[in-house]
Amino acid sequence: MRRGARSGVVVLAAVLGLAASSCGNGVIDKSTDGVPPAEATGTLRVLIPSFPPSNKGREEFDKVVEDFKKTYPKMKVEPDFATYGNLNEKISTSIAAGIPYDVMVTGVGWVQTFASKRLFADLGPYGVTPEVIQDKSIGAMVPAATYDGKLYAYPIVADARAVALRVSAFKEAGLDPDRPPKNMTELKAAAEKLTKRDANGTITRSGFDLAAPTSFRQTYTTLLASTGTPLYLDGQPNYSNAKGVETLEWIKSMINNVQVYGQRNAAQQPLVYTGEAAMGITGGAVDCSDKGIGQANCDDLRFFRFDSGKEVQFVGGDLASIGSRARHKDAGWAFIQSLTKPSSVDAIAKLNKKIPAYKDAANSPQAKSNPLSKFVASGLELAIYEGGSANWLEMRGNFDTQLTQAVLGQKDPAKTLANLSGQSR
Amino acid sequence: MSATLERTPTVASPRRDAPAKDSRKLVRSQVRAGWLLLAPALLHSGIFLVIPIIFAVALSFTDYSFGDSWSWVGFENYSVLFGDANFRAAFANTVLYAVVVIPVSMAVSLAIALGLNQKIRGLGFFRTAFYVPTVTATVAIATIWLWIYNPGSGLANGFLSLFGFAPNQWLSNPDTALPSLMVVGIWQGLGTKIIIYLAALQGVSRDLQESAALDGASRWQRFANVTWPALGPVQFFVLVTSIVGTFQVFDLVYVMTDGGPGTETMVLVLDIYQNAFQDLRLGFASAETVILMLLIAVFIGLGRLLQKADVND
């Protein structure tokens, strides 16, 4: 029996060893940093949500790879076309598995958190500093890409939001479409006038679409900033105050008053595009062709920005970083250079309905392609973004949950904001 | 007698010794074969259960969040966990979901199995139809139910409108979101339970049923005194698998509500997932995992006690 047990243990140990060795080896390259680009071999692992899983998306990505290979001809590029929904899962599991990505494209809220965790590398050694980005890119995106005075991400495209109104609905309600409501008081009054109900009192057309039916985080951030109160000030939470409570109370007063909680259409498009809402928050581009919402619908839209004392425009975006544990940091930087060439950025902007994050975005092909992109491109210097604390990524889910509870009347707005403020680090 | 006993080992003839040796050899080879047969299962359990459990428990005492540095924090994650509103809501929702879904789905499954155990027309069709949800991907099921619950054009509101009821925001309304998910959970879990109950019902002694009928026992008395006791071990099996399944509910909630509105449908596994892979708090999520393991163990223990009480009755 003892011999049997012993041999069993030996077999078990051998198999475990084999399994462990197969997990640990074979997929991690030797570092190519310092190796001349023409001689560097290995696989550059790229996590990127910027190319949609369509033939066109793959085609555009291949063009970036082709450009990269002019510098690193012997290196392979292994893309992981993630979505923003599973970006964190991809990053965390790659770290847990010990096979980190070399290049990671993430959103505005990611950079500071990942920089503070030392998951992203400082781009300073490649000559990229906040000042350089200020010159070459959208200045308003610099704070979101900076941590502790160093730059950790290179902006690729900006994802902007505007507010739109339907001219016909305004005229029908006796409102002037050329003088859109801008502050929260005016917006609420107009929205209440524009809301249509059936005989049972059920809302049949929303007066104002808050755009994210179950997530108020970004809307709250924008509205709060429009009162001249940024979400974070010098890394400290700035929402547990009178303006913060007032803003949250405003959202609460709109839900189930001018818009039913959770309302969205099947296409998950802004409701104002289709006339399901008379006003509402939009994305950064609108397709006026027959494949999109059509020219007649487009002509019925007017765009404006929130302004309760300060005109602001919410901006997110895609930013490229190099992993601090990357095996091919130099090659990663070469890839980012290919990715941020104007031709690549224009293609990404078109594919994702976003705005190129280069200096002259207002004259980009994307900005000229539709009236909404033109409008948001002209307001990039008014950009405000979400986040501002090192643990924003950890708490933003909870931020959403608690705001929703306050909006639905399950929690007191002031206590909610105080609680969230206490969780911020 | 005693002399014989004492002498036996010393004068054991080769003929007598051989069977003893043979039997020891046989035992050894059986043990070896046993270990060999157990090896794949042990290996699997070791790699995919024991090691992860040990890691989860160890991580629950750290502040690991995928960054470069981490430290031991003792029981801090646990103390923070019990003060965390999301965890408390997830805990309460999970227990409530289990307490409603398990007994209701078991009772409905048993009732349907009793019906399918009769000689009725279209038996094969009904058996297949009830099993279809079990072999269908949860994401597909959730998508169909999302349409059923759609406030504008869904079947649920369409049906209620026939009786003059106003449309309801099933999944957006805090009062109806969790019950709506429970209905889907009950419906989805029926197939497996029905098959198990059906197999058990076909093993209930017909002799006993006939004897009871001849003694004048009513249908209910036959069910209570013959069928029900015979189903005892199966009930326990169904209970344990149901407890594990309902406490680990995730995909249904993830697709249909993502835990909302607010935390109205937040369940433990979804909260663990969000903490670990969205909020990147792996140490904290590990502590929550340990709590979930203990919770399942407590409920299985309660199930065992109930079964023992049932047998003793």
Side-chain angles (χ1 to χ4, degrees):
Chain A
M1 175 174 173
R2 221 177 279 155
R3 202 190 306 157
R6 224 173 13 235
S7 54
V9 169
V10 170
V11 171
L12 192 70
V15 175
L16 278 173
L18 197 68
S21 66
S22 67
C23 285
N25 294 327
V27 286
I28 300 178
D29 291 337
K30 280 183 182 171
S31 174
T32 54
D33 294 342
V35 175
E39 287 162 31
T41 56
T43 304
L44 187 79
R45 299 186 72 237
V46 178
L47 178 71
I48 189 157
S50 311
F51 293 91
S54 61
N55 289 341
K56 187 68 186 159
R58 299 289 183 271
E59 207 178 282
E60 293 299 340
F61 181 78
D62 289 343
K63 286 181 190 169
V64 177
V65 174
E66 206 176 295
D67 188 73
F68 164 74
K69 287 210 166 189
K70 287 176 189 165
T71 319
Y72 281 84
K74 291 181 185 170
M75 283 204 75
K76 287 181 191 166
V77 177
E78 187 184 287
D80 194 339
F81 297 109
T83 64
Y84 275 104
N86 65 14
L87 209 55
N88 279 359
E89 286 91 320
K90 296 268 186 185
I91 294 172
S92 55
T93 47
S94 77
I95 293 165
I99 4 174
Y101 294 99
D102 297 293
V103 175
M104 286 176 264
V105 175
T106 59
V108 162
W110 273 258
V111 179
Q112 290 173 337
T113 300
F114 281 177
S116 74
K117 287 180 190 294
R118 283 182 281 174
L119 293 174
F120 285 172
D122 170 21
L123 296 181
Y126 299 102
V128 195
T129 58
E131 293 75 30
V132 171
I133 295 296
Q134 191 80 40
D135 282 346
K136 287 188 172 179
S137 182
I138 300 168
M141 287 183 88
V142 173
T146 308
Y147 177 73
D148 221 7
K150 292 173 183 169
L151 195 90
Y152 287 87
Y154 200 112
I156 306 170
V157 286
D159 186 12
R161 308 266 191 282
V163 195
L165 62 84
R166 305 255 341 170
V167 174
S168 55
F170 260 59
K171 285 182 177 168
E172 189 191 349
L175 296 166
D176 182 0
D178 295 326
R179 292 185 60 204
K182 288 188 176 179
N183 64 44
M184 286 188 269
T185 313
E186 289 173 3
L187 278 165
K188 189 181 173 190
E192 283 174 345
K193 268 191 178 176
L194 291 160
T195 303
K196 279 188 175 175
R197 296 169 188 275
D198 66 12
N200 297 322
T202 307
I203 295 173
T204 55
R205 184 185 70 186
S206 297
F208 190 90
D209 172 27
L210 287 152
T214 57
S215 163
F216 301 104
R217 192 181 74 234
Q218 292 182 349
T219 303
Y220 176 78
T221 303
T222 318
L223 286 163
L224 180 66
S226 80
T227 67
T229 316
L231 195 66
Y232 283 86
L233 204 57
D234 301 326
Q236 296 303 312
N238 191 34
Y239 43 83
S240 182
N241 49 38
K243 291 284 182 198
V245 175
E246 188 188 311
T247 305
L248 190 50
E249 290 281 11
W250 183 87
I251 296 176
K252 188 181 172 186
S253 73
M254 299 288 272
I255 288 297
N256 294 328
N257 175 26
V258 303
Q259 182 178 31
V260 174
Y261 171 78
Q263 187 192 8
R264 68 169 70 178
N265 56 28
Q268 298 196 7
Q269 274 193 342
L271 302 176
V272 69
Y273 288 176
T274 53
E276 291 165 278
M279 261 195 304
I281 298 169
T282 68
V286 62
D287 183 355
C288 295
S289 73
D290 290 340
K291 286 181 187 169
I293 65 169
Q295 195 59 50
N297 258 331
C298 252
D299 290 344
D300 199 31
L301 295 172
R302 291 272 192 287
F303 305 108
F304 61 103
R305 300 182 189 90
F306 290 124
D307 183 355
S308 292
K310 184 182 180 188
E311 189 176 17
V312 294
Q313 177 173 289
F314 183 87
V315 172
D318 297 13
L319 303 100
S321 301
I322 297 173
S324 61
R325 297 173 197 179
R327 310 296 293 166
H328 311 292
K329 286 192 180 74
D330 294 349
W333 170 241
F335 185 84
I336 290 176
Q337 284 178 300
S338 296
L339 190 66
T340 50
K341 281 190 172 170
S343 57
S344 309
V345 172
D346 284 336
I348 294 170
K350 189 179 176 188
L351 285 167
N352 295 283
K353 293 182 179 171
K354 294 178 182 176
I355 304 295
Y358 48 65
K359 196 75 185 168
D360 194 20
N363 285 317
S364 65
Q366 177 64 12
K368 289 174 180 171
S369 70
N370 69 90
L372 180 51
S373 292
K374 189 180 175 186
F375 178 79
V376 294
S378 68
L380 288 175
E381 291 311 317
L382 302 169
I384 56 105
Y385 67 96
E386 65 170 326
S389 70
N391 72 331
W392 176 249
L393 207 56
E394 292 170 21
M395 65 174 292
R396 65 181 197 150
N398 193 31
F399 205 94
D400 250 340
T401 302
Q402 295 208 29
L403 287 190
T404 304
Q405 288 176 319
V407 167
L408 293 176
Q410 296 171 329
K411 280 189 173 175
D412 176 63
K415 281 181 186 166
T416 299
L417 294 172
N419 185 23
L420 286 168
S421 181
Q423 288 172 19
S424 190
R425 291 196 307 274
Chain B
M1 178 74 179
S2 63
T4 317
L5 281 172
E6 280 167 14
R7 213 170 45 236
T8 308
T10 51
V11 295
S13 65
R15 202 180 281 174
R16 275 189 175 181
D17 202 22
K21 263 191 173 175
D22 285 349
S23 117
R24 277 203 296 276
K25 226 179 181 179
L26 183 67
V27 169
R28 268 206 301 272
S29 70
Q30 280 177 340
V31 167
R32 213 174 296 140
W35 278 108
L36 203 67
L37 291 169
L38 267 177
L42 280 177
L43 197 67
H44 175 270
S45 305
I47 294 173
F48 295 107
L49 292 173
V50 178
I51 295 174
I53 288 172
I54 292 169
F55 267 92
V57 173
L59 276 171
S60 73
F61 297 109
T62 71
D63 64 355
Y64 182 63
S65 63
F66 296 101
D68 259 6
S69 59
W70 60 272
S71 53
W72 294 101
V73 294
F75 286 92
E76 193 187 314
N77 283 332
Y78 291 91
S79 63
V80 173
L81 203 55
F82 287 107
D84 183 68
N86 286 1
F87 169 72
R88 286 204 306 264
F91 188 94
N93 289 339
T94 307
V95 171
L96 186 62
Y97 182 86
V99 165
V100 173
V101 170
I102 294 170
V104 173
S105 64
M106 284 176 75
V108 174
S109 302
L110 182 57
I112 295 170
L114 284 167
L116 293 178
N117 199 33
Q118 310 302 314
K119 286 173 184 164
I120 54 168
R121 250 188 220 174
L123 202 59
F125 168 76
F126 285 118
R127 285 180 180 178
T128 310
F130 280 114
Y131 199 66
V132 165
T134 307
V135 293
T136 308
T138 306
V139 174
I141 286 174
T143 308
I144 291 167
W145 279 90
L146 277 174
W147 171 72
I148 291 173
Y149 285 138
N150 185 299
S153 55
L155 198 64
N157 277 344
F159 178 73
L160 288 181
S161 69
L162 297 175
F163 304 97
F165 287 101
N168 187 23
Q169 304 275 331
W170 297 99
L171 299 172
S172 307
N173 183 338
D175 297 329
T176 55
L178 189 61
S180 301
L181 288 182
M182 286 172 177
V183 170
V184 186
I186 290 167
W187 175 79
Q188 191 192 11
L190 290 180
T192 310
K193 295 182 188 74
I194 289 171
I195 293 290
I196 296 167
Y197 278 132
L198 205 52
L201 285 169
Q202 285 168 1
V204 176
S205 166
R206 288 195 181 278
D207 294 344
L208 282 176
Q209 296 272 20
E210 281 169 16
S211 306
L214 285 172
D215 286 345
S218 65
R219 273 177 176 244
W220 169 249
Q221 284 171 321
R222 270 182 279 154
F223 173 76
N225 297 306
V226 180
T227 309
W228 183 259
L231 291 176
V234 170
Q235 294 277 25
F236 183 63
F237 175 76
V238 174
L239 181 68
V240 169
T241 51
S242 301
I243 288 171
V244 174
T246 49
F247 272 92
Q248 292 183 349
V249 62
F250 169 76
D251 36 14
L252 195 67
V253 185
Y254 179 75
V255 176
M256 292 186 74
T257 61
D258 201 22
T263 53
E264 294 303 321
T265 60
M266 181 59 77
V267 288
L268 279 173
V269 180
L270 181 62
D271 198 39
I272 290 169
Y273 164 80
Q274 288 187 348
N275 279 323
F277 298 111
Q278 288 185 352
D279 301 347
L280 305 172
R281 300 159 80 196
L282 199 61
F284 188 73
S286 297
E288 208 173 350
T289 306
V290 172
I291 300 288
L292 178 64
M293 283 195 290
L294 293 174
L295 190 66
I296 293 175
V298 166
F299 267 75
I300 290 176
L302 282 173
R304 271 187 85 89
L305 285 176
L306 281 174
Q307 198 219 8
K308 272 185 188 167
D310 201 24
V311 169
N312 291 339
D313 284 348

